[in-house]
Amino acid sequence: MGMGKWLKIGMVVGVIAIIREVSKHYGFGFDKDTGIKAIREWSDRLGVWAIPVFVGFHTLTIALCLPYAVFFEAAASLLFGFFPAVLCVFSAKLLGASLSFWIGRLVFKSSNSAMEWAQRNKYFHILSRGVEKDGWKFVVLARFSPMPSYVINYALAATNVGFVVDFLLPTIIGCLPMILQNTSIGSLAGAAVASTSSSWKSQTHLMVKQEERV
């Protein structure tokens, strides 16, 4: 596992730990167990609609270019478990990318100023030349690149690529590794917090027993 993955795991665990300590300090009564319980109760209340609602919100964050995708992908493992989370995030990724593509195509086809703006963008020129030369194979490579996915979605909409062969299929291939990484991060972060919480409770229980003996 690379340093980048460990850094993301550390950030997620750190944020959870900070929230927990602040809430304890100010008497909010929030800890890991109650937080997870509240999330799962929300999921239980929605019942069979929990996954569709999650997929819908995640799809919108992708289409609207909001910087919350990684948090949705990490949280999915806590909500639904690893394998259902992979299916949820995979569905949202495809729907979000498709929605972005058609929104972009509608805007660029109907607005000359939007098309002129896209053509001035450096990413557009990279993607446009690459697609003209290598077609769907270049789109797969772009999906594996550090280029933000929302930039790829909208920039490709301004080109003449076909939707199914040149956009959708490469997106399916290219998004899987990142989905597996981020959902794994959620699982590992949850396990790390659970382990820390369990260890802290065990130590507290042992200290209480020792005090009772004294």
Side-chain angles (χ1 to χ4, degrees):
M1 185 178 291
M3 287 297 296
K5 294 182 182 179
W6 283 114
L7 180 60
K8 288 183 180 180
I9 294 170
M11 288 174 64
V12 173
V13 174
V15 168
I16 294 173
I18 290 170
I19 292 173
R20 180 180 175 182
E21 291 303 317
V22 170
S23 64
K24 284 166 57 180
H25 182 269
Y26 289 100
F28 295 156
F30 175 85
D31 59 18
K32 176 259 173 188
D33 293 328
T34 55
I36 297 298
K37 183 180 178 182
I39 291 173
R40 286 177 177 163
E41 284 178 354
W42 169 82
S43 179
D44 290 339
R45 282 198 302 271
L46 288 174
V48 296
W49 293 102
I51 288 178
V53 168
F54 180 90
V55 170
F57 274 112
H58 190 18
T59 298
L60 287 176
T61 63
I62 294 170
L64 298 176
C65 309
L66 300 177
Y68 306 126
V70 66
F71 298 106
F72 271 91
E73 291 167 18
S77 295
L78 298 175
L79 276 172
F80 310 117
F82 178 73
F83 289 108
V86 170
L87 293 176
C88 286
V89 174
F90 181 71
S91 300
K93 281 279 192 181
L94 293 187
L95 290 171
S98 301
L99 183 59
S100 301
F101 180 87
W102 289 114
I103 290 174
R105 181 142 290 185
L106 177 64
V107 170
F108 293 130
K109 293 292 184 182
S110 60
S111 173
N112 291 330
S113 58
M115 180 60 79
E116 289 172 1
W117 175 85
Q119 291 173 347
R120 291 196 300 269
N121 187 284
K122 62 178 181 179
Y123 292 119
F124 173 82
H125 289 290
I126 294 172
L127 290 169
S128 180
R129 288 197 297 268
V131 168
E132 287 177 5
K133 184 178 179 181
D134 296 315
W136 64 270
K137 292 179 284 186
F138 181 83
V139 179
V140 172
L141 293 175
R143 290 295 184 189
F144 286 118
S145 74
M147 191 181 300
S149 60
Y150 61 86
V151 172
I152 298 172
N153 295 337
Y154 283 100
L156 286 175
T159 67
N160 293 320
V161 298
F163 174 69
V164 176
V165 175
D166 295 327
F167 181 84
L168 189 61
L169 292 180
T171 298
I172 292 172
I173 297 169
C175 72
L176 276 174
M178 188 61 69
I179 290 172
L180 292 172
Q181 172 186 295
N182 291 337
T183 49
S184 298
I185 286 172
S187 296
L188 290 171
V193 173
S195 176
T196 303
S197 176
S198 176
S199 176
W200 179 80
K201 287 180 179 178
S202 298
Q203 291 176 5
T204 303
H205 185 63
L206 181 61
M207 290 173 61
V208 169
K209 279 191 171 182
Q210 289 175 346
E211 288 178 0
E212 288 174 352
R213 290 174 183 174
V214 173

